Amino acid sequence: MSSAVTVVCLDCGATFPFHPSTSECPVCRSSWHTARYDLESAGRSLKENLHRRPFDVWRYRELLPVLAPLAGFARGEGGTPLLPATNLGTMVGLKHVFIKDETRGPTGSMKDRQAALAVAALLQHGIREAVIASTGNVALAFSAYCARAGIRLWAFLTSLVPADKMNEVALYGTHVVKVTSTYDQAKELAAEFAQRHGIWLERGPRSVASVESMKTIAYEIAEQLGALTPQNSGLVAGESPARWRGPDWYVQAASGGIGPLGVLKGFDELRELGWVAETTRAALIQADGCAPMVEAWRAGLREASPIASPASHISTLSTGDPGRSYTLLHDRLVSTGGTMETVSDEAAYRALRIVAKMEGLSVEPAAGAAFAGFLRLAHAGTFQPDDVIVINASGHALPVARERLGESRQQEVVLSGEVPVPSPKEGVYAALEQLDPHRTREILIIDDDPTSRLLLRRMLRVQGDFIVRDFESGTEALAEARRNPPDLILLDLMMPEMDGFDVLTQLKRQEATTQTPVIVVTAKGLTPEEKRRLDGKISRLVLKGDLEEEDLPREIRRALE
């Protein structure tokens, strides 16, 4: 069942009912549409019912094209926290900085909202097969929701997406097509595939349901900001939500533009309803290596020129052709006093560490770019001391499973052409690995205890600029070390199947690792015979009970010298 929504063509103004398969205006064939509602009627219904609804995406159903999901469909999408970023704000002299923590979604990103609404619409209209193109997060979210809904999904992923993430997507049963080319070309291939086989295609910013899903971020922020003072403790039946508050600034990293398009539409609707008084300005951040929007913005242009060969290693920010999304965002930012800015991959990486250390939040590289952009604009004096600023932490830096799952569902498509596409490692260390003049060192952890592996990773990330790979199995670690020899290995001795002594023996026999330094980190007190077995084969023996956060990195650096 659909809500009282009307779809309006952005080119000719024609109106027509919402249906997820309607990709063109029936009058002028334009593919760019927007959703409109009877705001007065929707506002009345919300005021009467909001207080008894859960805090999630579906709380605002009167202002969505899908009234409610089918029973048992929801997975906890939306309702994410708004966290005071006191330390971050203090660092730049701003008193009211908040983080919208989208890392809490079912698959760890704001794309869960998009997938939830889009897949619910497919279900309600009897659509059982779908095609998407993605740089990672969209594929994960759609895979989870399509699996829950029993919808067959094809995901076209650019080769910039790490293999581990592709394997996680395949784990849900998604048919993964790896496209060795740019994200924009992956989108073209996905569209051609969908058209040829008559399958529903997710069209990003041209998809009504997807754009509308992002509005819920704005609704939640306004409701959460309004509840920060005791007198604004919540909405009861019949009460006007005039106490809600919009932020003065909303900061987000932008690639294809679907997120900011939806969020800003949400703030504008709340202002039209009279529920917020503020006109929220947006600061949109792009990566230096792929910034078609910012380049056009700085040149005063309403249309962005595509970037054929994105150079950023943050794959989720590597949309080279934003198309009309940029024009829509440009007009909105010009009318409200917003701005656009770029940051380097290296700055995004540094911002990740700052946010983790100062606010205890682990975020994805794209969110790191948003924080880096915020810091840059703050230092430039863009924000006033009393401004209320919300930064979107769009996703979590979650490690994905390393097991090779679902590979039988993966296919690879190599597009010919002159555009070389690198395949760097994605994640926290991608930028530094490429940009640091001193090569980042790679460390392999071999330990069957997940708590120990987590502790070692944390210590290494806080104290040093290392790329860390960890394995619980000696057999898997040996294979990985043979394929990609590390600079140093941290080895536990007590492991099932193959213990650390046997792993060490094999490491010294493998040509690729015979000279690799090894530090044994173990909880086991060694017998004289065991010490003899290690003699001459390791750089240092460290007992876990004596492990100090400063000591291990010091010993690692000594071993690497």
Side-chain angles (χ1 to χ4, degrees), residues 44-326:
R44 284 197 303 269
S45 178
L46 277 171
K47 283 189 285 187
E48 292 173 1
N49 296 296
L50 205 60
H51 69 286
R52 51 175 157 252
R53 292 178 181 169
F55 191 60
D56 61 14
V57 162
W58 308 105
R59 180 177 178 83
Y60 314 101
R61 61 193 64 167
E62 288 86 348
L63 291 170
L64 296 174
V66 181
L67 192 57
L70 299 177
F73 172 77
R75 304 182 70 244
E77 53 275 358
T80 58
L82 185 70
L83 308 174
T86 307
N87 296 329
L88 196 63
T90 300
M91 187 173 75
V92 292
L94 297 170
K95 296 182 288 187
H96 310 295
V97 181
F98 299 88
I99 299 171
K100 185 59 172 169
D101 184 8
E102 289 294 288
T103 69
R104 309 294 184 93
T107 68
S109 84
M110 69 179 185
K111 299 301 184 180
D112 288 315
R113 299 174 186 266
Q114 178 183 351
L117 206 68
V119 173
L122 297 184
L123 270 181
Q124 293 183 6
H125 289 85
I127 299 171
R128 295 293 178 178
E129 190 168 10
V131 176
I132 62 169
S134 173
T135 55
N137 287 343
V138 168
L140 282 176
F142 268 82
S143 294
Y145 281 92
C146 283
R148 192 170 181 82
I151 292 175
R152 188 184 191 193
L153 181 65
W154 296 84
F156 287 70
L157 300 176
T158 169
S159 54
L160 284 174
V161 177
D164 285 343
K165 184 168 283 189
M166 290 190 187
N167 291 332
E168 186 175 3
V169 170
L171 174 64
Y172 289 104
T174 296
H175 293 268
V176 176
V177 181
K178 178 183 175 182
V179 181
T180 306
S181 188
T182 66
Y183 173 52
D184 294 296
Q185 289 174 307
K187 288 192 295 184
E188 292 177 7
L189 194 62
E192 181 180 343
F193 176 84
Q195 182 179 24
R196 181 175 300 179
H197 297 281
I199 306 173
W200 179 87
L201 174 69
E202 163 57 34
R203 295 176 297 120
R206 293 175 295 156
S207 168
V208 168
S210 293
V211 173
E212 295 298 287
S213 71
M214 296 299 170
K215 296 190 318 185
T216 59
I217 295 176
Y219 299 158
E220 290 177 12
I221 289 172
E223 190 171 359
Q224 289 167 318
L225 285 175
L228 288 177
T229 56
Q231 64 268 29
N232 297 339
S233 56
L235 188 69
V236 297
E239 180 186 6
S240 169
R243 294 172 179 169
W244 289 17
R245 193 200 195 286
D248 297 298
W249 283 93
Y250 173 76
V251 183
Q252 182 181 329
S255 186
I258 183 173
L261 279 174
V263 174
L264 296 176
K265 185 175 187 288
F267 285 128
D268 291 342
E269 285 179 350
L270 290 174
R271 183 172 169 82
E272 189 175 348
L273 278 164
W275 292 4
V276 302
E278 298 76 20
T279 297
T280 298
R281 291 167 285 180
L284 304 182
I285 314 300
Q286 293 201 291
D288 281 340
C290 187
M293 291 191 190
V294 183
E295 290 180 8
W297 174 264
R298 289 171 176 168
L301 303 175
R302 289 187 71 245
E303 293 185 5
S305 297
I307 293 177
S309 188
S312 172
H313 298 306
I314 303 176
S315 64
T316 48
L317 295 182
S318 293
T319 299
D321 185 4
R324 191 168 179 174
S325 292
Y326 166 73

Side-chain angles (χ1 to χ4, degrees), residues 130 136 163 209 225 299 399 507 530 541:
L225 285 175
L507 285 170
E530 289 172 333
L541 174 68

